Structure formats: structure tokens, C-alpha cells
Amino acid sequence: MNGRPGELHEVVVVDLSVGIPGAYCAKLFADAGAVVTRVEPAGGDPMRRWHWPTAGGSSSPGDEDPAVASPGVDRALFRYLRHGQRSVSAPGEGSNAATIAELCVGADLVITAGEAVEVPPGTVVVAITPYGTEGPCVDQPATEFTLQADSGALAIRGVVEFPPVQMGGRSVEWVAGAYAAAGALAAVRRARATGHGESIDVSLLEVANLTATTFADLFDALHGRPDIDPDRPARSVEIPSIEPTLDGWVGFNTNTREQWESFCILIERPDLLEGGEFALLGARLARAEEWNALVRDWTSRHTTADIVERAAALRIPVAPVADGRSVVELEHAVARGVFIADPLGEFVMPHRPFTIDGEPVPTPTPAPEIGAHDGHPMPTRRPRPDPVGEPPLPLAGLTVVDLTAWWAGPSAAATFAALGAEVIHVESTRRMDAMRTVGGLFYGRDQWWEYSAFFLSANTNKKGLTLDLGRPEGRSLLLELVERADVVIENFTPRVLENFDLDWEVIHAANPEAIMVRMPAFGLTGPWRDRPGFAQTMEQITGLAWMTGHLEDQPRIQRGPCDPNGGQHAVFATLVALERRDRTGLGCLVEAPMFDAALAIAAEPVIEWSAHGVMVERMGNRGPTAAPQNLYAAAGRERWVAIACETDAQWSALAGVMGLEDLLADPSLASVTGRRAHEDRLDERIGAWVGARTVDEVVDRLREAGVPVAAARDHRRASFHEQMIARGFFETVDHPVVGSHGTPTMPFRYASVDRWVRTPAPTIGQHNREILGGLLGRSAEELSALESTGVIGTRPQGV
């Protein structure tokens, strides 16, 4: 990076990994100033040669022999991921005679794809693998596509007229990189302070489940595990969502009743408000044809720009559905400068997705040539103390005031809590955390607002406090908490805290050492700063939805990943800010918009268009790295199998199992590029073979042969997966209202941590007296007065 050293300039990282997850983890560290060394295999990192397949099928035009990469022809995606890093050849390659152990001896962090690495004490090693490094499935071949199927993240999505459909854009791999970076930096900070190293085990299967199944398994448990009809499609879509316009597509979401009512006003159907028969998503889905017709009768008569302007005025979450070309031209993106030029000026790319104290994002320097640092001394980490006793949780001793709501912000605060911070979640009885309203699915049960699976999962290990911040007494109490806090985090539109007179200047005056983390959907500046936005909005506007869906259908939202993705980027940014505070003694303002974080993992469409003129489109269930790849119907109704062949060996194994000797002998099918050009032909033959067999037979035979394959599992029973059970991903949590249920946790394990969940998500106002009485010293009489006036409470008002 150009300019002054980044906050992590003393952190030394060695990257031995393969693919996007490890590369994106390394990029986040490098973009914050860490010294990152990529150890490249023979011929260089394969990503130097790779870019998105063109319409003709090739992923390497002009480079039909990808076994050899030449300096100066690196593809844009590699450069985006490796700007400002070092490159050394793997041991025995080029001029490098060092062993892996010698390369890693001075590292704070080593990133791997699961291979064993010899490192000195006090080193953090993060392994990113399909299934994790332990459990019955660790040796199963897999791709992102088969992992989406195996985790339940594929069967959940789509309309019944088409097969279930994957999330496009390799979202699981990108988000896994963000999780790995957040977990790793927390461990590195602890290692430098205490000498305790860590082994971190990231599972792509768990990332897929956590980010893209909308907690369906926990909801199913809360419903008492009713019988599931295996012949009934489990997939669905949200409506309204992406709708046709006069000149393209526009995206909405109506997460609240108020937003739905405003939507009815928007489409000039106020009559729908009278009966309210379409107010619930289930009712709209049951009458989808009728609902879609009345919505599209209006949207198809208006331009996208006109609809966006009208909807925004009504505070409906709305966005144009963008692709890799149009997203760069959005007025908000241009005004905020979120896209920057590659150091060589050959393409554009997203900037670093967070800022500190409003300072310009550092300018990246070029990616290295292969082995550019062979023979150079390896960087060495700073000395650290000898470890004493058992390692503490990495964020133990940190206090966080959590003002967030919904999912993105709470998921960030939940990560702080899981890693040992004391987190106080603040809401009010007048306006409870809106994610609690999802508990309305259980309306009629006592304390139905405690039944939201989203809230139950994203708020474990926290304490719960209610404060009416619109009242002087509530605001004063909050500022007393801020005086004791290390971090204050919020994710509202900027005007919300400004209306409470609780913006950065006020927080900084109350506690000059506190870090304030702001996560507004679209940032603190720009024409869209005060517009609401949710995960659906981010998927619509960044190109993620453009990459998701069947070609014969329409763009579809991915339904989830942008929330936890925004959360993990905010966690990483906060840890970087703590590094700054360690040096300066002063707090700082972190801006980590969900829009910027979503653009960071949707970088490929922008990069491919600006660098190569390739428009990344939705591919249904096909993929950019494998051919054949698709979802095939097995014998029976709604029995689906995901198959993907990324290598020639896997294709040969598949053809052998299926008896496709004639295809195996066809020279036009000898490479992935050739097979991609004949996917329809391959799908016909593969589909016929799969359709004559049960799911279990197909999976067993192909898996035994080494082919990536998985059944499209029901997302409502993901916790029954043998690998999830073996790794303890779903931890049994005993909640005082909803009872004991398996709850999804972090998609990575620390070797030093037996389980992540120590306490359940709090009931509303559960810790009022403990915090206000015990911590802030209010008497019983004062607390009773606060309760009687509604400043605090333990039950939402109006229910």
C-alpha cells in the first residue's frame, strides 16, 4: 500500500492456501497493512491464469495451456486479490531452497488449505477447507456448488417451476475468507499479547449453512419438528423482490408490515390495505400468480429510475438490479468513490470496504510477479511473551455496547461475544430489535417475540438491556455505558443516531478511548446515505442477484449472505481499529457499510467486465470452474443431486461410473473448456443415468469414485448432517422461554475452545437490573421508577 504504513504493518502473514477463500483472507490483511507473502506452487498460483468463462466457454482465452504462466500476463482477479503482497516460490521451485517450515518461522499467521504445517509456538494457523479438518466427511471431494447442496443452502431457493438454484458468484468462498480473516486477526492479537498461538478450522459447509439457509433448521425445531412431505418442494422466493420494469429490473424487500403497506401505496393499490390478505409472505406465496400480476402490472409501466425514486421517498428498501457494468455507474457508487483503478490502470475494482476516521483508503500497489521475492529474507514477527496457563478467549476484557438490530450488526456483535467480549445489546420496549418480530410466526405463544431464530442465533453470549433513547434518562444511561466501553457498534441509517444526538462527536466526547463502529447500509456519505437497505437490497444492487437464477427465469436474490458478510467485515475493521488504539491511546470512527462489504465479495463481475469485457451472467446450476456441473433429478419426486467435475480426472471417474465411454473417448470433451461447450449434451446423458437411480445410490457411487457430489439436503434438517454433528456446529442452547434447541454457531473452530455458546440470547430487558443496578449503581427505587415510566422494561409495548 502507498502512503503511511497500515495499522497491521507489524503483522506477518504467509499464505499457503488454494483458491478464493484463503486469497481473500490474505487480501483483507494486506489491505490493512500486513506483510503478506504468497507461497506459489510450480507454475505459479493457478489464479494468475484464470478468468470468468467467455460465451464461447473458455476461461483462459489465448492461454490454452494453463500449466505455464508468464510474467506480465496475470489475470485481473489474481491481481485484485494479491495487490501489495510478496511472492516466493514453493520449496524446490525457482531459486527457493527454503522449506515450508523455514518460510513460516517468522509468521504471525499462516493460511492453509488444510495441510499440516510445522510452525513455532505462538503462531496462528487458519485452515480453510470444504468440510473442516475433522469429522467423517473431511476426505469427500467437494466444490462450492456441492457444498451449497450438502449444507441446505441450495434446496431453499427458487420457484417450483424450475429446479432449486444455487447462489451464483461463489459467494460461500468469498464470505468464508471474511470469516477466516476476522477469526484469525482476533487470535493474532491474543498471540502477540500472551504468546498463545491458535489453530483455526474454517468449514465452507458451515459458512454455506449459516449464511444462506435463513436459520431454517432452528425455526423447524421451534415448530416442534413437524413431519416433512419429501415430495413437496422446499424451495421458495420472496415476493415482492426483483420485478420487471419498463427498461430492466428493480429490487424491493418488505421485511416489515410498514414497508409492505408503503409498497401497496407505491403500486397504487391502497385497497390491498383494507383486508390485509397479502400482508404475510406466506399468503403472497400461496397466491403468487395473482400477487405477481398486480405488482408487475404497475412496475412494467415505469422505468427503474422512476420506481427507485418513488420507493425511496416512501422509505421502501429498493435498488436497481445491477450487473458488473452498471453498478460502477450508480450515482451513489460514483459519489462515494467505492471503485478505484487497478495500480496499472487496466481495470476497476472495489476499494477496501471500511475506513477509519474518514481517512482515504490506502492506494494499493501492484501484485507481485511469480517468485519476485525468492532469495529475499522472509519478514519476521515481533517478539512475544512466553504463554502462561490456558489461553483466554481472544477478546476477553473487551466491552461492547451493541446498538444494532436485524442481522448484519448483531452478527458482528455476536462474533465479539463468542470471542470473549462482554456485549450489552441495547433495544427498547417501545421499539424492540426488529428481528424479534420474525417471532410473529409463533404469534399466539406466550412471549412470541422471543421465538425468532434469527435473534436467538445472532445474539448468543450477550446481555440484554432496554433503554428508551428518545428519553433524556435513557440517553444519559447509555452514555454512562459508553464511558465504560471499548467499542460502540450500530447499523441504523445515519439519521437515527443523529436524531438521538448520539453521533461520533458525542460518543468520542463521552469516552475518548472508545471505538465507534457504524454500519449504515449505504455509508455515512453519498446521495443514498439515509436510505434503508437489507441483505436483499445489497444482493440486488451489487450484481450478486444478477449472477443468481436460471437463464429461463429471472435474476434471484441469494437470501442472506450479505448480512453476515457485512458483519464479519465490520469485525475485522474493528480489530484493525483496536490496533490503532493500542498505538495512539485514542478511539476512532470505523465506517463499515454493508454496501461496500457486499461489493468486495461481488468484485468478479466488475473486474471481468472492466478488464476483459466479459459480462458475468447467471448460469443456473452450472458454474465457472467445473463442467459438467448441474443439479440432476434422481428417481422419485423432488430428489436432487448436485454434481461438479472441476478436473479431468473427476470427469474420467464420472464417465467410468456412468458407462459413458463414448463421451470419454471424444477429444472435444477432454478439457473443462471443451466440456463447457457441450454442457447440454452432457446434461442429457448424465441426467438420464441419475434419473434411473436413487439419490443415495448416485451419491455413494460417485463419491467412492472421487467425484464431487451431494444430495440437495433439506435446509430444515441441516443439523442432522453427520459432519455438522461431529464438529458440533449446532450447539444445544437452553433458553428460558423457547427451551433447548440446537443453534448454529461460528463456522470455524478454535482448537482452544470447546464450544462457542456460553449463554443464550437474552430475553428483552433480561439484564436491566444487573447492568443498571450492579454496573451503573442505580438503586432499586430508581430502577422501579425507570420501569414505571417506560424508560426500561421487560415486555414490548403494545403487545
Side-chain angles (χ1 to χ4, degrees), residues 42 69 73 90 100 132 134 207 253 263 283 299 404 434 542 555-556 652 690 740 764 777:
V73 297
I100 290 291
E134 295 182 346
V207 172
N253 67 273
F263 183 81
T299 61
T404 66
T542 61
R556 295 288 180 184
S652 179
V690 173
S740 295
I764 189 167

Coordinates of all heavy atoms in Angstrom, one line a residue, residues 42 69 73 90 100 132 134 207 253 263 283 299 404 434 542 555-556 652 690 740 764 777:
A42 N 4.4 -24.8 -8.2 CA 5.1 -24.9 -9.5 C 4.2 -24.2 -10.6 O 3.0 -24.5 -10.7 CB 5.4 -26.3 -9.9
A69 N 2.5 -20.1 -16.6 CA 2.1 -18.7 -16.6 C 3.4 -17.9 -16.8 O 4.4 -18.2 -16.3 CB 1.5 -18.4 -15.2
V73 N 1.3 -11.4 -17.7 CA 0.0 -11.7 -18.2 C -1.0 -12.2 -17.1 O -1.9 -12.9 -17.4 CB 0.2 -12.9 -19.3 CG1 1.0 -12.4 -20.5 CG2 0.8 -14.1 -18.7
A90 N 7.3 -22.0 -4.1 CA 7.3 -23.2 -3.1 C 8.7 -23.8 -3.1 O 9.5 -23.7 -4.0 CB 6.3 -24.2 -3.6
I100 N 9.0 -25.3 3.9 CA 7.8 -24.6 4.3 C 8.0 -24.1 5.7 O 7.6 -23.0 6.1 CB 6.6 -25.5 4.2 CG1 6.3 -25.8 2.7 CG2 5.4 -25.0 4.9 CD1 5.7 -24.6 2.0
G132 N -14.0 -28.8 6.9 CA -13.3 -28.7 8.1 C -12.2 -29.8 8.1 O -12.2 -30.7 7.2
E134 N -11.7 -32.1 10.6 CA -12.0 -33.3 11.4 C -13.5 -33.6 11.1 O -14.3 -32.8 10.7 CB -11.8 -33.0 12.9 CG -10.4 -32.8 13.3 CD -10.3 -32.6 14.8 OE1 -11.3 -32.3 15.4 OE2 -9.1 -32.6 15.3
V207 N -20.1 -22.3 6.6 CA -20.4 -21.0 6.1 C -21.6 -21.0 5.2 O -22.4 -20.1 5.3 CB -19.1 -20.5 5.3 CG1 -19.4 -19.2 4.6 CG2 -17.9 -20.3 6.2
N253 N -37.6 -5.1 -1.0 CA -37.9 -6.1 0.0 C -38.8 -5.4 1.0 O -38.7 -4.2 1.2 CB -36.7 -6.7 0.7 CG -35.9 -5.8 1.5 OD1 -35.0 -5.1 1.0 ND2 -36.2 -5.7 2.8
F263 N -45.4 -0.2 0.2 CA -45.3 -0.8 -1.1 C -46.7 -0.8 -1.8 O -46.8 -0.6 -3.0 CB -44.8 -2.3 -1.0 CG -44.6 -2.9 -2.3 CD1 -43.5 -2.7 -3.1 CD2 -45.5 -3.8 -2.9 CE1 -43.3 -3.3 -4.3 CE2 -45.4 -4.4 -4.1 CZ -44.2 -4.1 -4.8
A283 N -49.0 -15.8 2.6 CA -50.2 -15.6 1.8 C -49.9 -15.2 0.4 O -50.6 -15.6 -0.5 CB -51.1 -14.5 2.5
T299 N -45.2 -2.2 -12.1 CA -43.8 -2.0 -12.3 C -43.4 -1.9 -13.8 O -42.5 -1.2 -14.2 CB -43.0 -3.0 -11.6 OG1 -43.3 -4.3 -12.1 CG2 -43.2 -3.0 -10.1
T404 N -27.2 -2.5 17.7 CA -27.5 -3.0 16.4 C -28.9 -3.7 16.4 O -29.4 -4.0 17.4 CB -26.5 -3.9 15.8 OG1 -26.5 -5.1 16.6 CG2 -25.1 -3.3 15.8
A434 N -35.9 -5.2 15.7 CA -36.9 -5.6 14.7 C -36.8 -7.1 14.3 O -37.8 -7.7 13.8 CB -36.9 -4.7 13.4
T542 N -25.6 -5.0 -6.1 CA -24.1 -5.2 -6.3 C -23.8 -6.2 -7.5 O -22.7 -6.3 -7.8 CB -23.5 -5.8 -5.0 OG1 -24.1 -7.1 -4.7 CG2 -23.6 -4.8 -3.9
P555 N -33.3 -12.9 -12.7 CA -32.4 -12.8 -11.5 C -33.1 -13.0 -10.2 O -34.2 -12.6 -10.0 CB -31.9 -11.3 -11.6 CG -32.2 -10.9 -13.0 CD -33.4 -11.7 -13.4
R556 N -32.4 -13.7 -9.3 CA -33.0 -14.0 -8.0 C -32.0 -13.6 -6.9 O -30.8 -13.7 -7.0 CB -33.2 -15.5 -7.9 CG -34.3 -16.1 -8.8 CD -35.7 -15.6 -8.5 NE -36.7 -16.1 -9.4 CZ -38.0 -15.8 -9.3 NH1 -38.4 -15.0 -8.3 NH2 -38.9 -16.3 -10.2
S652 N -13.2 -38.1 -15.9 CA -13.0 -39.5 -16.2 C -13.6 -40.5 -15.3 O -14.2 -41.5 -15.7 CB -11.5 -39.8 -16.3 OG -11.2 -41.1 -16.6
V690 N -28.7 -40.5 -13.8 CA -29.1 -40.2 -12.5 C -30.6 -40.4 -12.3 O -31.0 -41.0 -11.2 CB -28.8 -38.7 -12.1 CG1 -29.4 -38.3 -10.8 CG2 -27.3 -38.4 -12.2
S740 N -34.7 -25.8 24.9 CA -33.4 -26.3 24.4 C -33.5 -26.6 23.0 O -34.3 -27.5 22.6 CB -32.9 -27.5 25.3 OG -32.7 -27.1 26.6
I764 N -35.9 -10.0 26.3 CA -35.9 -8.5 26.2 C -35.8 -7.9 27.7 O -36.6 -8.2 28.6 CB -37.2 -8.0 25.5 CG1 -37.1 -6.5 25.2 CG2 -38.5 -8.3 26.2 CD1 -38.1 -5.9 24.2
G777 N -24.9 1.3 39.3 CA -25.2 1.8 40.6 C -26.5 2.4 40.9 O -26.7 3.1 41.9

